[in-house]
Coordinates of all heavy atoms in Angstrom, one line a residue:
H333 N 9.3 -14.2 20.8 CA 8.0 -13.5 20.8 C 7.9 -12.7 22.1 O 7.3 -11.6 22.1 CB 6.9 -14.5 20.8 CG 5.6 -13.9 20.7 ND1 5.1 -13.3 19.5 CD2 4.5 -13.8 21.6 CE1 3.9 -12.8 19.7 NE2 3.5 -13.1 21.0
E334 N 8.4 -13.2 23.2 CA 8.4 -12.4 24.5 C 9.3 -11.2 24.5 O 9.0 -10.2 25.1 CB 8.7 -13.3 25.6 CG 7.6 -14.3 25.9 CD 8.0 -15.4 26.9 OE1 9.1 -15.8 26.9 OE2 7.1 -15.8 27.7
L335 N 10.4 -11.3 23.7 CA 11.3 -10.1 23.5 C 10.5 -9.1 22.8 O 10.6 -7.9 23.1 CB 12.6 -10.5 22.8 CG 13.5 -11.4 23.6 CD1 14.7 -11.8 22.7 CD2 14.0 -10.8 24.9
R336 N 9.8 -9.5 21.7 CA 9.0 -8.5 21.0 C 7.9 -7.9 21.8 O 7.6 -6.7 21.8 CB 8.4 -9.3 19.8 CG 7.2 -8.6 19.1 CD 6.8 -9.5 17.8 NE 5.4 -9.2 17.4 CZ 5.1 -8.2 16.6 NH1 6.0 -7.4 16.2 NH2 3.8 -8.1 16.2
H337 N 7.3 -8.8 22.7 CA 6.2 -8.3 23.6 C 6.8 -7.4 24.6 O 6.1 -6.4 25.0 CB 5.6 -9.5 24.3 CG 4.4 -9.2 25.1 ND1 3.3 -8.6 24.7 CD2 4.2 -9.4 26.5 CE1 2.5 -8.4 25.7 NE2 3.0 -8.9 26.8
T338 N 8.0 -7.6 25.0 CA 8.7 -6.6 26.0 C 8.7 -5.2 25.3 O 8.4 -4.2 26.0 CB 10.1 -7.1 26.3 OG1 10.0 -8.3 27.0 CG2 10.8 -6.1 27.1
Y339 N 9.0 -5.2 24.1 CA 9.1 -3.9 23.4 C 7.7 -3.2 23.4 O 7.6 -2.0 23.7 CB 9.6 -4.0 21.9 CG 9.7 -2.8 21.2 CD1 10.6 -1.8 21.4 CD2 8.7 -2.5 20.1 CE1 10.7 -0.6 20.7 CE2 8.8 -1.3 19.4 CZ 9.8 -0.4 19.7 OH 9.8 0.8 19.0
G340 N 6.7 -3.9 23.0 CA 5.4 -3.4 23.0 C 4.9 -2.9 24.3 O 4.3 -1.8 24.5
T341 N 5.2 -3.7 25.4 CA 4.9 -3.3 26.7 C 5.6 -2.1 27.2 O 5.1 -1.2 27.9 CB 5.2 -4.5 27.7 OG1 4.5 -5.7 27.2 CG2 4.7 -4.2 29.1
R342 N 6.9 -2.0 26.8 CA 7.7 -0.9 27.1 C 7.1 0.4 26.5 O 7.1 1.5 27.2 CB 9.1 -1.1 26.6 CG 10.1 -0.1 27.1 CD 11.5 -0.5 26.5 NE 12.6 0.3 27.0 CZ 13.8 0.3 26.5 NH1 14.1 -0.5 25.5 NH2 14.8 1.0 27.0
L343 N 6.6 0.3 25.3 CA 5.9 1.5 24.7 C 4.7 1.9 25.4 O 4.5 3.1 25.7 CB 5.5 1.1 23.2 CG 6.6 0.9 22.2 CD1 6.0 0.5 20.8 CD2 7.5 2.2 22.0
R344 N 3.9 0.9 25.8 CA 2.7 1.2 26.6 C 3.0 1.8 27.9 O 2.3 2.7 28.3 CB 1.9 -0.1 26.7 CG 0.5 0.1 27.3 CD -0.3 1.0 26.4 NE -1.7 1.2 27.0 CZ -2.4 2.2 26.7 NH1 -2.0 3.1 25.8 NH2 -3.6 2.3 27.2
R345 N 4.1 1.3 28.6 CA 4.5 1.9 29.9 C 4.9 3.3 29.7 O 4.7 4.1 30.7 CB 5.6 1.1 30.5 CG 5.3 -0.2 31.1 CD 6.4 -0.7 32.1 NE 7.7 -0.9 31.5 CZ 8.2 -2.1 31.2 NH1 7.5 -3.2 31.4 NH2 9.4 -2.1 30.7
A346 N 5.4 3.7 28.6 CA 5.9 5.0 28.3 C 4.7 6.0 27.9 O 4.9 7.1 27.7 CB 6.9 5.0 27.2
G347 N 3.5 5.4 27.8 CA 2.3 6.2 27.5 C 2.0 6.3 26.0 O 1.2 7.1 25.7
V348 N 2.6 5.5 25.2 CA 2.3 5.5 23.8 C 0.9 5.0 23.5 O 0.6 3.9 24.1 CB 3.4 4.7 23.0 CG1 3.1 4.7 21.5 CG2 4.8 5.2 23.2
D349 N 0.2 5.6 22.7 CA -1.2 5.2 22.4 C -1.3 3.9 21.6 O -0.3 3.6 20.9 CB -2.0 6.3 21.7 CG -1.5 6.5 20.3 OD1 -0.5 7.4 20.2 OD2 -1.9 5.9 19.3
I350 N -2.3 3.1 21.7 CA -2.4 1.8 21.1 C -2.5 1.9 19.6 O -2.1 0.9 18.9 CB -3.6 1.0 21.6 CG1 -4.9 1.7 21.4 CG2 -3.4 0.7 23.1 CD1 -6.1 0.8 21.7
Y351 N -2.9 3.0 19.0 CA -2.9 3.1 17.5 C -1.5 3.2 17.0 O -1.2 2.6 16.0 CB -3.7 4.3 17.1 CG -5.2 4.2 17.5 CD1 -5.7 4.8 18.6 CD2 -6.1 3.5 16.7 CE1 -7.0 4.7 19.0 CE2 -7.4 3.4 17.0 CZ -7.9 4.0 18.2 OH -9.2 3.9 18.5
T352 N -0.6 3.9 17.7 CA 0.8 4.0 17.3 C 1.5 2.6 17.5 O 2.2 2.2 16.7 CB 1.5 5.1 18.1 OG1 0.9 6.3 17.9 CG2 3.0 5.2 17.7
I353 N 1.1 2.0 18.7 CA 1.7 0.6 18.9 C 1.3 -0.4 17.8 O 2.1 -1.2 17.4 CB 1.3 0.1 20.3 CG1 1.9 1.0 21.4 CG2 1.7 -1.3 20.6 CD1 1.4 0.7 22.8
Q354 N 0.0 -0.3 17.4 CA -0.5 -1.2 16.4 C 0.4 -1.0 15.1 O 0.8 -2.0 14.5 CB -1.9 -0.9 16.0 CG -2.5 -1.7 14.9 CD -3.7 -1.1 14.2 OE1 -4.2 -0.1 14.7 NE2 -4.2 -1.7 13.2
K355 N 0.6 0.2 14.7 CA 1.4 0.5 13.5 C 2.8 0.0 13.6 O 3.4 -0.6 12.7 CB 1.3 2.0 13.2 CG 2.0 2.3 11.9 CD 1.7 3.8 11.5 CE 2.3 4.2 10.2 NZ 2.1 5.6 9.8
I356 N 3.5 0.3 14.8 CA 4.8 -0.1 15.0 C 5.0 -1.6 15.0 O 5.9 -2.1 14.4 CB 5.4 0.6 16.3 CG1 5.5 2.1 16.1 CG2 6.7 0.0 16.6 CD1 5.9 2.8 17.4
M357 N 4.1 -2.3 15.7 CA 4.2 -3.7 15.8 C 3.7 -4.5 14.6 O 4.0 -5.7 14.5 CB 3.4 -4.2 17.1 CG 3.8 -3.5 18.4 SD 5.5 -4.0 18.9 CE 5.2 -5.6 19.5
G358 N 3.0 -3.8 13.7 CA 2.5 -4.5 12.5 C 1.3 -5.4 12.8 O 1.2 -6.5 12.2
H359 N 0.5 -5.1 13.8 CA -0.7 -5.9 14.1 C -1.7 -5.7 13.0 O -1.8 -4.7 12.3 CB -1.3 -5.5 15.4 CG -0.5 -6.0 16.6 ND1 -0.6 -5.4 17.8 CD2 0.4 -7.0 16.7 CE1 0.3 -6.0 18.7 NE2 0.9 -6.9 18.0
K360 N -2.5 -6.8 12.8 CA -3.6 -6.8 11.8 C -4.6 -5.7 12.0 O -5.1 -5.0 11.1 CB -4.2 -8.2 11.7 CG -5.2 -8.3 10.5 CD -5.7 -9.7 10.4 CE -6.7 -9.9 9.3 NZ -7.2 -11.3 9.2
D361 N -5.1 -5.6 13.3 CA -6.1 -4.6 13.6 C -5.9 -4.1 15.0 O -5.2 -4.7 15.8 CB -7.5 -5.2 13.4 CG -7.8 -6.5 14.1 OD1 -7.4 -6.5 15.3 OD2 -8.3 -7.4 13.6
I362 N -6.6 -3.1 15.4 CA -6.5 -2.4 16.7 C -7.0 -3.3 17.8 O -6.5 -3.2 18.9 CB -7.2 -1.1 16.7 CG1 -6.7 -0.2 17.9 CG2 -8.7 -1.2 16.7 CD1 -5.3 0.2 17.7
K363 N -7.9 -4.2 17.5 CA -8.5 -5.1 18.5 C -7.3 -6.0 19.1 O -7.3 -6.3 20.3 CB -9.6 -6.0 17.9 CG -10.2 -6.9 18.9 CD -11.3 -7.8 18.3 CE -11.9 -8.8 19.3 NZ -12.9 -9.6 18.7
M364 N -6.5 -6.5 18.2 CA -5.4 -7.4 18.6 C -4.5 -6.6 19.5 O -4.1 -7.1 20.6 CB -4.6 -7.8 17.4 CG -3.4 -8.7 17.7 SD -2.5 -9.1 16.2 CE -3.7 -10.0 15.2
T365 N -4.2 -5.3 19.2 CA -3.3 -4.5 20.0 C -3.9 -4.3 21.4 O -3.2 -4.4 22.4 CB -3.0 -3.2 19.3 OG1 -2.7 -3.4 17.9 CG2 -1.9 -2.4 20.0
S366 N -5.2 -3.9 21.4 CA -5.8 -3.6 22.7 C -5.9 -4.8 23.6 O -5.8 -4.7 24.8 CB -7.2 -2.9 22.4 OG -8.1 -3.9 21.7
E367 N -6.2 -5.9 23.0 CA -6.3 -7.2 23.8 C -4.9 -7.5 24.5 O -4.9 -8.1 25.6 CB -6.7 -8.3 23.0 CG -8.2 -8.3 22.6 CD -8.6 -9.5 21.7 OE1 -7.7 -10.2 21.2 OE2 -9.8 -9.6 21.5
I368 N -3.8 -7.2 23.8 CA -2.5 -7.5 24.3 C -2.0 -6.4 25.3 O -1.5 -6.8 26.4 CB -1.5 -7.7 23.2 CG1 -1.9 -8.8 22.3 CG2 -0.1 -7.9 23.7 CD1 -1.1 -9.0 21.0
Y369 N -2.2 -5.2 24.9 CA -1.5 -4.1 25.7 C -2.4 -3.2 26.5 O -1.8 -2.3 27.2 CB -0.7 -3.3 24.7 CG 0.4 -4.1 24.0 CD1 0.4 -4.4 22.7 CD2 1.5 -4.6 24.8 CE1 1.4 -5.1 22.1 CE2 2.5 -5.3 24.2 CZ 2.4 -5.6 22.9 OH 3.4 -6.4 22.3
V370 N -3.7 -3.4 26.5 CA -4.5 -2.6 27.4 C -4.9 -3.5 28.5 O -5.8 -4.3 28.4 CB -5.7 -2.0 26.6 CG1 -6.6 -1.2 27.6 CG2 -5.3 -1.1 25.5
H371 N -4.3 -3.3 29.7 CA -4.5 -4.2 30.8 C -5.3 -3.4 31.9 O -5.2 -2.2 32.0 CB -3.2 -4.7 31.4 CG -2.4 -5.4 30.4 ND1 -2.7 -6.6 29.8 CD2 -1.1 -5.1 29.8 CE1 -1.8 -6.9 28.9 NE2 -0.8 -6.0 28.9
N372 N -6.0 -4.2 32.8 CA -6.7 -3.6 33.8 C -6.2 -4.0 35.2 O -6.9 -4.3 36.1 CB -8.2 -3.9 33.7 CG -8.9 -3.2 32.6 OD1 -8.6 -2.0 32.3 ND2 -9.8 -3.9 31.9
E373 N -4.8 -4.1 35.3 CA -4.3 -4.5 36.5 C -4.5 -3.5 37.6 O -4.4 -2.3 37.3 CB -2.7 -4.7 36.4 CG -2.4 -6.0 35.5 CD -1.6 -5.5 34.3 OE1 -1.7 -4.3 34.0 OE2 -1.1 -6.4 33.6
I374 N -4.9 -3.9 38.8 CA -5.3 -3.0 39.9 C -4.1 -2.0 40.2 O -4.4 -0.8 40.4 CB -5.7 -3.8 41.1 CG1 -6.3 -2.8 42.2 CG2 -4.5 -4.5 41.7 CD1 -7.6 -2.1 41.7
D375 N -2.9 -2.5 40.1 CA -1.7 -1.6 40.5 C -1.6 -0.5 39.4 O -1.3 0.7 39.8 CB -0.4 -2.3 40.6 CG -0.4 -3.3 41.8 OD1 -1.2 -3.0 42.7 OD2 0.4 -4.2 41.8
T376 N -1.8 -0.9 38.1 CA -1.7 0.1 37.0 C -2.8 1.2 37.2 O -2.6 2.4 37.0 CB -1.8 -0.6 35.7 OG1 -0.8 -1.5 35.6 CG2 -1.6 0.4 34.6

Side-chain angles (χ1 to χ4, degrees):
H333 186 72
E334 288 170 325
L335 293 174
R336 166 176 159 84
H337 184 58
T338 294
Y339 177 73
T341 303
R342 192 181 187 186
L343 292 178
R344 189 61 181 156
R345 281 201 302 257
V348 178
D349 64 272
I350 60 171
Y351 295 97
T352 301
I353 295 175
Q354 177 200 359
K355 187 173 181 180
I356 291 174
M357 301 295 285
H359 287 157
K360 186 178 181 181
D361 54 47
I362 198 67
K363 182 181 177 183
M364 181 184 299
T365 313
S366 62
E367 285 179 351
I368 297 172
Y369 296 111
V370 178
H371 305 295
N372 288 322
E373 292 116 345
I374 189 65
D375 291 338
T376 304

